[in-house]
Amino acid sequence: MNYLDILKNSPDMVSPGVSACQGCGGELVLRRVLQVAGKDTIVCVPPGCMAGSGVVGWNFDSGMKIPVHIPLLDNAASFLSGVTHMYQRMGREDVNIVAVAGDGASADCGFQSLSGAAERGEHILYVCYDNEGYMNTGYQRSSTTTEGSRTSTTPLGSKLSGKQQAQKYVPLILAMHGIAYCATATPANMADLISKVQKGLAASKHGFAYLHVFSPCPTGWSFAPERTIEVARRAVKSNMFPLWEKDSEGWTLNYKNDKPIPVTEFIEGIGKFSRMSEQQIEDVQRAANERYATVKALAGMQL
């Protein structure tokens, strides 16, 4: 069954009306992941954009059609560790245990519990929607924020010009935990995303699975809402966000891209990059080149 048939025949597990911003990449990720996971799913969404706009709901009603829990910002993976052990004791392997968390709750505040659950091989599919910042509380920088980005805690001025540090590349760190499945995806390539969600769910029946999804944010990044898919596509074409996966068979580079567009083309028209210096652009271009070369080498291809 191709991905269009899957989406056509699978009901949406998220309410039709949520308060996410127009063009929100995170909402697309939340809806599609849970649509594939289906009704036999327990989902954990820590504080962040998707907890605030897609889960909380109205009055005493949740915005979800499946059981959902909003834990603390730093313990989504440890919370689900307990949930998955409970279902294992019950002999219920038919239940999908899924986390959908932002980069702040994954790369920063929740990294300890995430790393611990990955190292233990807990039966969880952990999905990080990476919008490169703490968007729900006013767009503060996170460790996955690209160098040179303007955020509310890395403003543009005479003393400071955007984030000064390099971006933390979380998916490669998780892959090195030796987990059952690890992959990157974007909402710009839905066939690839759906396939990886399916593989992640299957792997979560016997180990830990991690999916890192690039999630552009029109509001925080300052670009027009209708450009979300275009921005995600350019991230892949520039090698800012290579598409790859690692399973029991090894590493696979899903999009071979030896002639990428320059980083300058990716950042064009995105407000958070508007004041990047030439040095910062060079640093980001170098990081993109090195990231792609690393993944390509891991996939066993000739450099």
Side-chain angles (χ1 to χ4, degrees):
M1 185 181 295
N2 65 42
Y3 81 98
L4 289 175
D5 290 330
I6 292 171
L7 297 181
K8 177 182 177 181
N9 298 313
S10 303
D12 198 340
M13 295 292 108
V14 184
S15 167
V18 297
S19 57
C21 301
Q22 289 185 337
C24 175
E27 181 186 353
L28 287 173
V29 175
L30 179 71
R31 288 186 183 278
R32 299 294 83 84
V33 168
L34 297 182
Q35 193 173 8
V36 176
K39 62 182 179 64
D40 294 322
T41 300
I42 304 293
V43 62
C44 182
V45 185
C49 292
M50 288 304 97
S53 65
V55 174
V56 174
W58 307 268
N59 296 325
F60 295 101
D61 292 328
S62 168
M64 308 287 284
K65 301 176 183 178
I66 53 177
V68 58
H69 188 81
I70 302 176
L72 301 175
L73 186 61
D74 59 357
N75 71 344
S78 56
F79 172 84
L80 285 182
S81 295
V83 174
T84 188
H85 279 282
M86 179 191 73
Y87 276 100
Q88 287 175 33
R89 288 190 177 188
M90 295 169 61
R92 293 286 306 277
E93 291 294 332
D94 59 315
V95 179
N96 294 314
I97 309 299
V98 178
V100 180
D103 49 286
S106 305
D108 298 335
C109 301
F111 187 76
Q112 181 182 29
S113 63
L114 171 59
S115 176
E119 186 268 335
R120 295 191 302 272
E122 304 289 5
H123 295 190
I124 298 168
L125 169 59
Y126 191 106
V127 180
C128 172
Y129 63 95
D130 185 2
N131 51 29
E132 298 193 7
Y134 293 81
M135 301 302 177
N136 192 51
T137 51
Y139 188 23
Q140 296 84 19
R141 60 88 86 188
S142 79
S143 59
T144 69
T145 304
T146 301
E147 180 184 348
S149 295
R150 180 266 303 151
T151 72
S152 62
T153 50
T154 57
L156 302 175
S158 59
K159 300 297 183 181
L160 183 69
S161 183
K163 187 189 176 194
Q164 302 298 295
Q165 298 79 22
Q167 181 185 53
K168 181 194 290 187
Y169 193 48
V170 178
L172 191 58
I173 299 172
L174 265 293
M176 292 305 177
H177 282 64
I179 58 180
Y181 183 75
C182 187
T184 62
T186 85
N189 190 330
M190 195 55 65
D192 180 73
L193 173 61
I194 298 304
S195 172
K196 288 171 176 175
V197 173
Q198 291 178 308
K199 292 177 182 179
L201 289 168
S204 72
K205 300 305 179 184
H206 58 84
F208 192 87
Y210 180 79
L211 184 57
H212 197 99
V213 189
F214 187 75
S215 178
C217 172
T219 304
W221 295 18
S222 298
F223 63 83
E226 63 269 20
R227 290 191 60 210
T228 296
I229 298 302
E230 174 197 344
V231 171
R233 187 175 291 119
R234 286 188 181 187
V236 175
K237 288 185 175 181
S238 64
N239 286 338
M240 285 285 289
F241 195 84
L243 296 179
W244 56 268
E245 59 188 324
K246 180 185 181 295
D247 57 18
S248 59
E249 301 298 319
W251 300 75
T252 302
L253 184 61
N254 304 116
Y255 182 73
K256 189 176 180 181
N257 188 29
D258 292 330
K259 295 182 179 180
I261 63 174
V263 163
T264 51
E265 190 171 332
F266 164 67
I267 66 176
E268 183 180 356
I270 301 176
K272 75 168 185 173
F273 297 123
S274 62
R275 295 267 295 277
M276 289 179 70
S277 66
E278 290 186 8
Q279 183 60 57
Q280 287 172 328
I281 292 174
E282 289 179 9
D283 291 343
V284 173
Q285 183 69 70
R286 186 182 307 108
N289 295 345
E290 291 177 353
R291 183 172 300 170
Y292 179 77
T294 298
V295 175
K296 186 176 179 180
L298 289 169
M301 296 185 179
Q302 196 70 28
L303 291 175

